[in-house]
Amino acid sequence: MAKVILYIASSLDMYIARENGAVDWLFTEGDYGYEEFYKKVSITLMGKKTYQEVLGFGEWPYGGKTNYVFTRDTTLEDTEEVKFVSGDIPSFVKNIKGPEDTYIWVIGGGEIIKLIL
C-alpha cells in the first residue's frame, strides 16, 4: 500500500507561501532530493487554493499521477488531470489506495495538512 507523505518546503517561521499566496521563493537552486521523491509519487492531494496556485505555474506539473483536489465547491467538474473531492477529507485519505512502494503526496495547503494530521 502507498504511504501518505507530506513533503513540503516551508520558511523557518513555518509558512508555505508569502502573505499574498506566492510561492516564488521555492524555486531556488538545488533539488534537495525532490526528483528522487517525485519518482515514487503515484497520487497527489491538495486543497483548492494550492490547486489554483499550481495552475498559475503554466503546464500542469503532475501529469501521469492521480490528482485529487479537496474543495467545498461541489459544482466543479473533474478534468483529465484532476478529480475534485468534497466531504470528509480524513476519511477519504484513510481509504485511498495506491500502488505498493509509492507515495500519496499531500502537497498542501495548510488547512488540508491540519485535517489530515
Side-chain angles (χ1 to χ4, degrees), residues 10 18 22-23 39 46 48 64 75 87 89 95 100 102-103 107 113-115 117:
S10 72
R18 297 185 190 279
V23 292
K39 287 177 190 174
M46 68 189 83
K48 185 178 173 190
T75 65
I89 294 170
N95 292 306
E100 194 164 330
T102 66
Y103 297 146
I107 296 174
I113 292 167
K114 280 192 244 179
L115 286 171
L117 289 175

Side-chain angles (χ1 to χ4, degrees), residues 4-59:
V4 178
I5 301 287
L6 174 63
Y7 180 100
I8 197 161
S10 72
S11 58
L12 289 175
D13 56 1
M14 302 306 293
Y15 285 96
I16 300 166
R18 297 185 190 279
E19 285 185 27
N20 67 358
V23 292
D24 58 310
W25 65 274
L26 293 173
F27 304 103
T28 60
E29 292 184 34
D31 175 72
Y32 304 104
Y34 176 80
E35 288 298 323
E36 187 173 330
F37 163 80
Y38 188 73
K39 287 177 190 174
K40 292 188 76 176
V41 172
S42 60
I43 298 169
T44 71
L45 308 174
M46 68 189 83
K48 185 178 173 190
K49 290 178 195 173
T50 300
Y51 170 69
Q52 290 172 322
E53 186 69 31
V54 170
L55 288 177
F57 297 166
E59 186 177 325

Side-chain angles (χ1 to χ4, degrees), residues 44-102:
T44 71
L45 308 174
M46 68 189 83
K48 185 178 173 190
K49 290 178 195 173
T50 300
Y51 170 69
Q52 290 172 322
E53 186 69 31
V54 170
L55 288 177
F57 297 166
E59 186 177 325
W60 181 250
Y62 308 118
K65 314 287 184 196
T66 301
N67 303 285
Y68 295 101
V69 173
F70 299 110
T71 178
R72 292 181 189 99
D73 184 349
T74 58
T75 65
L76 295 173
E77 294 186 22
D78 294 350
T79 69
E80 192 173 304
E81 292 115 0
V82 173
K83 295 175 182 157
F84 294 97
V85 178
S86 297
D88 184 354
I89 294 170
S91 291
F92 180 88
V93 173
K94 183 178 179 182
N95 292 306
I96 196 169
K97 305 273 189 268
E100 194 164 330
D101 297 327
T102 66

